[in-house]
Amino acid sequence: MVEVEQQAEEQRPVAGFVPPDGPRTIEVTEVSKWYGDVVAVSNVSFAIGPGVTGLLGPNGAGKSTILKMLAGLLTPSMGTVRVLGEPVRANPGLYRRVGLVPEQEVVYPFLTGREFVRLNAILQRLPDPEAAAAAAIARVEMTAAADRPVGGYSKGMRQRIKVAAALVHEPEVLILDEPLTGTDPLQRLQLIKLIRSLGAEGRTVIVSSHILHEVERLADQILVLVNGKLAAAGDYRAIRDKIDEHARRVRVRADDARTLAAALIRLPALESVRVDGDAVLIETGDVRDLYRAVPKVARELGIRLYEVTALDDSLASVFAYVTAR
Amino acid sequence: MSITRRAPILWLTLRQFRAGRATLLVALFAATPVLFAAIFRWSSETGDAAEFLTNQFLEILAPTILPLATLILATNALGNEIADRTLVYIVLKPVARSRLIVEKFIASALVTALAFTIGLVATWVVASGGSGSGRMLGALLAGTLAGVAAYGALFLLVSLLVPRALLVGIIYVLIWESALARFIPGIKMLSVRHFAQSVFVRLLDNPAVRLDRALQLSSATIVLAVLVIAALALATLRLRQMNIP
């Protein structure tokens, strides 16, 4: 599906993107969640099927609230949530088929990684918890560190052991809340590969992130959430093209910012270039072209790059743009 | 089959207790009667050990030391997991909420009871010079275990109802159990201490030891059992319904 649907002013729920004849493993219907006067999620509807779906939105957009409602941790103030055709609240039996990687980093620090995953296998009543734990640990490439206490793990290792724990019972539906947070580039690559393979196996995987390019590598289908409302839903490329239509600001730090700025100004889609200390501040209409050009130009000129940061990428401005359209 | 597989939540909770400082605090509370017994023995070589042990249980142990010590682990068992958000790892499993609550309760009661059993045996040996009556030791242990069970279930429930369960528990112990229940007859009948004291007094079966409005052993046992079951049932219900952040 390539359509992009924008939520209308009257807050019409955005339709999901399950093919008409496809299975609907997760169905969210007119769901709202509020805490006192604060509305965390407002009248959100979508349905998704097998494969990887990205839940994209800036911090505070309501992504975690939605995922917690999908996992049955929170009761919606209004609306219904069904997973695999069943209600999720007060339905512990459903957890045989569902796994969650929560957002928080804390994992029992006194357990080893293997003990933690095995505990999950035992609680899932698997016939051979040892073997299931070993297989899940191997799948996230944590075998070498599995017998060390989790308290000594890096953030990325904790994320991976949480994924192993959520995968140990081979769930049909996997909910991952910001699973790439704190991972180094290599770990990120491994997790992205793993998440994509889970989707390819026919599982329904929903992954939240506030980083646009992270989701691009993870999921073809995305839901964009802004201020608790579903702003867009559909194929990632179609939404990205819409986002890429507006100028984007990028900061490049280099050891010779002036020379780099002078070289970059020739790029066709550039709208403005400004040097600020060791940084070049660029506004462009084609950020992907810029990302390709910067390392190439720097290499040709022998300039060392320290940092390339998208100043409004993944931030509220991008999502605000989506909602404003 | 190992405890890990037979009772995984119990195993996890015991590991949590082993790793934390709360167990050390409980051990200190359990050691307090030993210290009092040593002071008693040192200050009065001819003092009546039975009278000392009775007064210590009725006036200090049952109303103050025991509930405070039980409070620490009972609120720790689930409260800490709610606070650090690790509760999600055990609630998102096909495990009955009642089983989760019962295993958490057993873990906290087990560790507290073990600490007090060791502490009370040592207290009994120190106070009586090793020649005290077995009935006294039995009454001390039974009264203490009854108190641990009732306070444990009650405080586990409190930890699911209020965010600052430890503080609420301390206020409850110091105001209700230690102060008001001591002086106001109506409140006395509604305090856990009175039922634990009744168990102790009835098992001691010493006419010289009197407790105002003491219940029969069977009545005290039934009330305590109902209290434990009701508190655990309410905790189960609460866990089923609560939103987990």
Side-chain angles (χ1 to χ4, degrees):
Chain A
M1 176 172 168
V2 292
E3 68 177 326
V4 177
E5 298 185 50
Q6 307 289 333
Q7 192 152 19
E9 281 182 1
E10 68 271 24
Q11 296 182 19
R12 174 178 59 82
V14 173
F17 35 80
V18 172
D21 55 345
R24 292 166 171 252
T25 41
I26 293 177
E27 288 178 284
V28 172
T29 311
E30 295 179 4
V31 161
S32 297
K33 178 73 186 174
W34 55 80
Y35 303 93
D37 293 337
V38 179
V39 178
V41 172
S42 175
N43 198 26
V44 167
S45 293
F46 61 86
I48 59 176
V52 183
T53 300
L55 181 60
L56 186 64
N59 289 327
K63 302 186 298 294
S64 290
T65 305
I66 293 251
L67 294 187
K68 282 174 184 165
M69 287 191 284
L70 290 183
L73 293 171
L74 298 177
T75 311
S77 306
M78 263 178 62
T80 57
V81 176
R82 295 181 78 83
V83 173
L84 296 164
E86 296 182 40
V88 286
R89 283 293 281 179
N91 187 7
L94 186 63
Y95 296 129
R96 284 183 214 283
R97 304 167 70 192
V98 176
L100 170 76
V101 176
E103 183 186 15
Q104 75 270 10
E105 283 174 28
V106 184
V107 181
Y108 306 112
F110 47 86
L111 296 182
T112 66
R114 189 182 306 282
E115 285 173 331
F116 176 59
V117 181
R118 189 178 58 207
L119 173 69
N120 282 270
I122 291 168
L123 290 170
Q124 289 289 352
R125 299 183 202 168
L126 300 182
D128 188 351
E130 289 288 348
I137 289 166
R139 189 146 195 202
V140 298
E141 300 178 46
M142 281 286 288
T143 305
D147 294 310
R148 281 165 43 196
V150 174
Y153 282 5
S154 67
K155 278 184 186 178
M157 291 163 87
R158 278 200 293 272
Q159 289 290 38
R160 283 193 286 161
I161 212 69
K162 277 160 50 184
V163 173
L167 272 181
V168 75
H169 59 299
E170 302 276 345
E172 292 163 58
V173 173
L174 191 62
I175 301 163
L176 302 112
D177 197 353
E178 304 269 1
L180 303 182
T181 305
T183 52
D184 63 33
L186 183 62
Q187 291 169 339
R188 193 168 290 225
L189 206 64
Q190 289 167 339
L191 273 177
I192 287 171
K193 196 174 138 197
L194 172 65
I195 291 166
R196 290 199 73 98
S197 73
L198 291 167
E201 287 167 11
R203 299 178 208 276
T204 300
V205 184
I206 182 162
V207 191
S208 75
S209 175
H210 62 279
I211 300 171
L212 209 56
H213 291 281
E214 199 170 89
V215 171
E216 181 181 25
R217 297 164 71 190
L218 271 171
D220 296 327
Q221 307 287 346
I222 63 167
L223 303 163
V224 180
L225 208 61
V226 181
N227 295 328
K229 295 170 190 163
L230 201 56
D235 183 90
Y236 176 79
R237 282 165 289 274
I239 293 172
R240 186 192 57 194
D241 288 345
K242 292 286 178 192
I243 291 170
D244 284 351
E245 280 173 15
H246 80 308
R248 301 262 292 282
R249 294 183 303 128
V250 175
R251 182 180 62 210
V252 180
R253 285 182 55 236
D255 63 355
D256 189 351
R258 261 173 212 293
T259 309
L260 183 66
L264 289 174
I265 200 119
R266 292 182 215 114
L267 290 175
L270 240 63
E271 297 187 358
S272 74
V273 176
R274 186 162 60 86
V275 176
D276 181 13
D278 69 343
V280 188
L281 300 172
I282 306 157
E283 201 167 55
T284 176
D286 188 345
V287 73
R288 277 172 286 163
D289 182 50
L290 180 71
Y291 286 151
R292 278 191 296 270
V294 168
K296 194 174 157 202
V297 170
R299 194 168 49 245
E300 282 169 8
L301 297 175
I303 294 170
R304 179 176 293 213
L305 294 178
Y306 299 128
E307 184 187 3
V308 179
T309 313
L311 295 176
D312 49 8
D313 191 13
S314 84
L315 300 178
S317 59
V318 170
F319 299 105
Y321 169 78
V322 173
T323 26
R325 292 199 39 109
Chain B
M1 192 186 282
S2 68
I3 181 178
T4 322
R5 293 191 68 171
R6 195 184 291 272
I9 306 291
L10 173 63
W11 170 80
L12 173 71
T13 313
L14 293 176
R15 290 287 301 267
Q16 281 172 317
F17 290 160
R18 199 176 77 178
R21 292 180 192 164
T23 312
L24 186 66
L25 264 177
V26 172
L28 286 174
F29 271 111
T32 312
V34 191
L35 181 69
F36 291 156
I39 294 169
F40 160 76
R41 186 46 54 209
W42 172 73
S43 62
S44 164
E45 285 184 15
T46 55
D48 185 345
E51 188 185 343
F52 163 77
L53 290 169
T54 300
N55 288 337
Q56 181 176 251
F57 183 84
L58 293 177
E59 301 302 325
I60 302 171
L61 198 62
T64 311
I65 293 177
L66 191 59
L68 284 177
T70 310
L71 171 72
I72 293 168
L73 289 187
T75 53
N76 210 283
L78 269 168
N80 269 14
E81 281 177 286
I82 294 170
D84 68 12
R85 298 181 173 192
T86 49
L87 186 62
V88 68
Y89 298 120
I90 54 174
V91 295
L92 291 188
K93 296 292 180 294
V95 176
R97 298 295 177 257
S98 54
R99 181 179 169 188
L100 209 152
I101 291 291
V102 167
E103 287 192 31
K104 284 282 179 187
F105 165 71
I106 290 173
S108 68
L110 197 69
V111 174
T112 312
L114 185 67
F116 272 91
T117 299
I118 295 167
L120 285 175
V121 170
T123 303
W124 176 78
V125 169
V126 171
S128 63
S131 58
S133 84
R135 180 177 283 273
M136 168 61 79
L137 181 60
L140 280 172
L141 290 176
T144 300
L145 296 183
V148 166
Y151 284 125
L154 196 64
F155 292 138
L156 186 73
L157 170 63
V158 171
S159 74
L160 290 173
L161 293 175
V162 294
R164 297 187 180 203
L166 192 64
L167 184 65
V168 171
I170 289 171
I171 292 169
Y172 165 78
V173 169
L174 297 182
I175 294 180
W176 189 271
E177 295 283 341
S178 300
L180 296 180
R182 187 186 296 257
F183 305 112
I184 303 172
I187 290 179
K188 179 179 282 190
M189 295 302 289
L190 291 173
S191 67
V192 174
R193 64 175 266 182
H194 186 67
F195 302 111
Q197 287 169 330
S198 295
V199 169
F200 169 76
V201 168
R202 293 302 177 193
L203 281 174
L204 194 59
D205 196 23
N206 181 349
V209 177
R210 302 190 63 166
L211 178 70
D212 184 33
R213 301 186 186 197
L215 274 76
Q216 291 301 317
L217 182 60
S218 56
S219 307
T221 309
I222 289 168
V223 171
L224 287 168
V226 168
L227 178 67
V228 169
I229 292 166
L232 296 182
L234 287 172
T236 302
L237 196 66
R238 171 68 184 148
L239 188 60
R240 269 190 203 136
Q241 293 175 343
M242 70 190 284
N243 283 328
I244 295 165

